[in-house]
Amino acid sequence: MENQEFRRWDELIPDALGMIFRNLSLQDVLTIVPRVCKSWRKAAIGPYCWQEIDIEEWSKNCCPDNLDRMLQLLITRSCGSLRKLCVSGLSREPSFTFIANNAKSLQMLRLPKSDIGDSAVEQVAGMFSNITFLDVSYCIKIGARALGAIGKHCRCLTGLRRTMHPLEVIDKLSQDDEALAIARTMPKLKQLEIAYMLVGTTSITEVLKNCGHLELLDVRGCWNVNLDENFVKKFHQLKVVGPLVVDCYDRNGWDNCSDYSSSSGYVPWDFVAGDMDDDDFDEMSDVYWEEDDQSIEDVEMWFYDDLNAVDSGYDWPQSP
């Protein structure tokens, strides 16, 4: 229609483009969008697309060097506006410190399977003062000291996820000190997920007494926890899940579990991050974004360790 006025996509303001590009895959935003036009490139390399960074799925199969470089690239692009970060398997303290140094606006932090220890957390916990939800599931080097430091400095924290793998705690005698650290320092918690931790009734009772705002307590697989029904009824807003493990195909009673969690949905890929020009985009398209063919020898078997199932609300299927 000759007289009808059409709005041009390249004339949208950058923050509007950024909101649209969040619906695309990470691969598309990094390699395709910047090559469409100048305004799209400006949006893709600016903070508009990187206020929420979810590379959890990709980082599961990523070497430490590539993961560090990707975090440097994306967090730098966020220009201090980062609100959400999801990454799995963080193994190096400098990257954790880099995250902390850029955490002024960070509200949700998911670091499952990270290799960060108590001392590293204690050194930078004060930089995460605006965090409202933290996921340190399967982080075997984190203990009561780290949780205590988090509780002391992260006064806005309302959700904590500390689910463990049964085999990772098999050599531990108890994790009651972690539960007590939570009870002492995190009074504003509304959601606490500590499935398969080695905690007992006494320490969980302390959590309930001190965390008066709790709405969800997930103690699935915490076989030493035996809460008195009449005691639990005193907390009218509280929903307790576990310690029995519900069949993984039964969602009844699980609607409120892991409301703060979300699966990234990205397909694993390899990427070498850095400042990119057109030649870099061509190289990435030809090399780094190809899916690898897997032989039967490369197949990895996972037992009781599916983070996507975790995000759907069922950490573990019923034990055989």
Side-chain angles (χ1 to χ4, degrees), residues 46-305:
Y48 316 101
C49 291
W50 310 111
Q51 294 177 359
E52 297 184 2
I53 298 174
D54 187 344
I55 56 173
E56 184 174 335
E57 189 69 25
W58 168 76
S59 57
K60 292 178 185 178
N61 300 306
C62 180
C63 72
D65 287 340
N66 286 353
L67 177 56
D68 293 343
R69 296 174 72 179
M70 178 64 85
L71 287 171
Q72 289 273 347
L73 171 70
L74 299 186
I75 293 177
T76 299
R77 286 187 178 185
S78 72
C79 297
S81 64
L82 182 63
R83 296 196 303 262
K84 173 183 176 181
L85 176 63
C86 305
V87 56
S88 177
L90 189 68
S91 60
R92 294 175 177 171
E93 290 188 9
S95 287
F96 181 60
T97 302
F98 180 75
I99 293 172
N101 288 332
N102 292 271
K104 184 177 180 180
S105 301
L106 195 61
Q107 298 174 355
M108 177 186 288
L109 179 61
R110 293 183 48 134
L111 298 172
K113 293 188 175 181
S114 292
D115 201 28
I116 306 301
D118 284 345
S119 59
V121 175
E122 288 176 318
Q123 291 174 17
V124 301
M127 300 181 185
F128 294 108
S129 58
N130 292 318
I131 290 286
T132 60
F133 179 80
L134 176 66
D135 184 350
V136 286
S137 298
Y138 319 110
C139 298
I140 60 176
K141 292 186 178 181
I142 282 181
R145 286 169 48 201
L147 293 176
I150 291 167
K152 178 181 177 181
H153 295 283
C154 304
R155 294 298 185 179
C156 298
L157 194 68
T158 59
L160 175 66
R161 195 158 192 281
R162 178 67 176 141
T163 297
M164 298 302 293
H165 191 294
L167 295 180
E168 291 172 343
V169 297
I170 195 170
D171 294 329
K172 293 181 178 290
L173 296 177
S174 171
Q175 291 175 291
D176 283 318
D177 58 340
E178 295 188 26
L180 292 174
I182 293 170
R184 288 193 301 266
T185 64
M186 304 181 188
K188 295 183 179 179
L189 282 183
K190 294 183 178 180
Q191 174 180 343
L192 177 60
E193 301 180 53
I194 51 176
Y196 282 86
M197 283 183 61
L198 295 179
V199 293
T201 304
T202 302
S203 60
I204 296 303
T205 300
E206 288 300 309
V207 170
L208 293 180
K209 289 180 179 179
N210 290 277
C211 302
H213 300 285
L214 267 183
E215 298 174 1
L216 172 65
L217 174 63
D218 182 358
V219 288
R220 286 170 292 160
C222 300
W223 308 118
N224 293 326
V225 174
N226 184 18
L227 296 173
D228 181 74
E229 184 176 348
N230 292 326
F231 174 72
V232 173
K233 286 181 179 179
K234 295 179 181 179
F235 306 91
H236 303 291
Q237 81 282 9
L238 178 64
K239 178 177 181 179
V240 179
V241 182
L244 294 179
V245 181
V246 177
D247 187 278
C248 63
Y249 295 103
D250 180 11
R251 282 194 66 100
N252 293 333
W254 292 83
D255 293 339
N256 292 329
C257 290
S258 299
D259 285 342
Y260 295 85
S261 305
S262 60
S263 176
S264 71
Y266 294 136
V267 176
W269 40 267
D270 290 326
F271 173 73
V272 177
D275 295 331
M276 298 175 290
D277 53 27
D278 289 340
D279 292 335
D280 293 325
F281 289 121
D282 290 334
E283 183 179 0
M284 286 192 302
S285 298
D286 294 337
V287 180
Y288 295 110
W289 303 100
E290 295 179 359
E291 294 185 4
D292 296 328
D293 294 329
Q294 284 189 320
S295 64
I296 189 65
E297 289 80 12
D298 296 325
V299 174
E300 184 176 8
M301 303 299 291
W302 293 69
F303 296 96
Y304 292 105
D305 199 13

